Amino acid sequence: MKKYLFIDNNQSDIKANTIGSGNKNFHIYKNPTGVVEAIKNGWSWPGFFNSSLWLIYKGMFILALKVFVFFALLVLFRIPEQIAVLVSIGIGIYFGGNGNSLYRQFLEKQGYKFFLSVNADNIANAKAQFVELMQITNKTVNSAIKRHDLDASGFDSLYKGLDNSSKARTFMLGRNLIIEELDSFLKT
């Protein structure tokens, strides 16, 4: 006989910790179709040096257009070159300090949800650590389902019912806690 696993979605007592190793912290965001974006916390050098190009590259076209119009107005009103340089440096500092936060807000408006925090040395390593965690978690869950003769569709319905922060906390629990939760469920 197949057993079905149902767990209460309220996991507020479980803290989502940061995974990985590295000098920089990245937030992993995921949209409903599964596309993953990693955003570094802190200063954005591309935002500082190439504000408009960086905005276009990140898909923030409206904000890039606003910056372009602002600079066009500076030229149109014949602002002295020294002031224009200071304004340009100020805009670079603004996007250097706030660029990643602006991109995070842009992604959230596009339907992305915070999924996980990862320490890594660069974006490629952050995404690689995320993929590795997902593979380990999937193997752990699949082996637990087989070990306890659980119906995978029951587990899938449980997983779909969780919000993204609960999913992240579930992944953070790791192999031992997942097995402990399954064992305690099966004993009751």
Side-chain angles (χ1 to χ4, degrees), residues 42-184:
W43 185 262
S44 171
W45 286 108
F48 174 72
F49 285 115
N50 302 306
S51 301
S52 296
L53 294 175
W54 180 77
L55 290 168
I56 291 169
Y57 175 74
K58 292 295 187 177
M60 297 186 277
F61 302 116
I62 302 297
L63 194 53
L65 182 62
K66 288 178 183 179
V67 171
F68 175 77
V69 168
F70 180 76
F71 279 113
L73 289 173
L74 288 178
V75 172
L76 182 68
F77 290 119
R78 299 176 192 234
I79 302 296
E81 189 175 317
Q82 295 85 357
I83 294 175
V85 168
L86 291 175
V87 169
S88 180
I89 291 170
I91 287 175
I93 291 171
Y94 174 78
F95 283 109
N98 298 307
N100 291 331
S101 295
L102 291 169
Y103 187 50
R104 190 174 294 116
Q105 292 169 4
F106 172 75
L107 288 179
E108 288 172 354
K109 288 179 184 174
Q110 302 297 318
Y112 283 77
K113 302 279 186 205
F114 173 76
F115 195 79
L116 188 64
S117 184
V118 177
N119 286 332
D121 291 324
N122 56 48
I123 286 181
N125 287 347
K127 287 183 177 181
Q129 287 183 34
F130 170 74
V131 167
E132 182 180 353
L133 175 69
M134 295 297 289
Q135 291 171 343
I136 290 169
T137 303
N138 286 338
K139 286 178 185 175
T140 302
V141 169
N142 288 338
S143 68
I145 288 171
K146 288 177 187 173
R147 182 173 143 219
H148 295 291
D149 196 28
L150 294 171
D151 188 313
S153 64
F155 193 83
D156 288 342
S157 66
L158 153 79
Y159 183 75
K160 288 177 184 173
L162 297 176
D163 64 353
N164 282 338
S165 61
S166 295
K167 288 177 186 175
R169 287 190 296 269
T170 300
F171 286 124
M172 300 299 289
L173 294 175
R175 182 183 189 285
N176 293 335
L177 191 52
I178 291 172
I179 298 300
E180 287 173 18
E181 288 290 334
L182 290 170
D183 286 337
S184 67

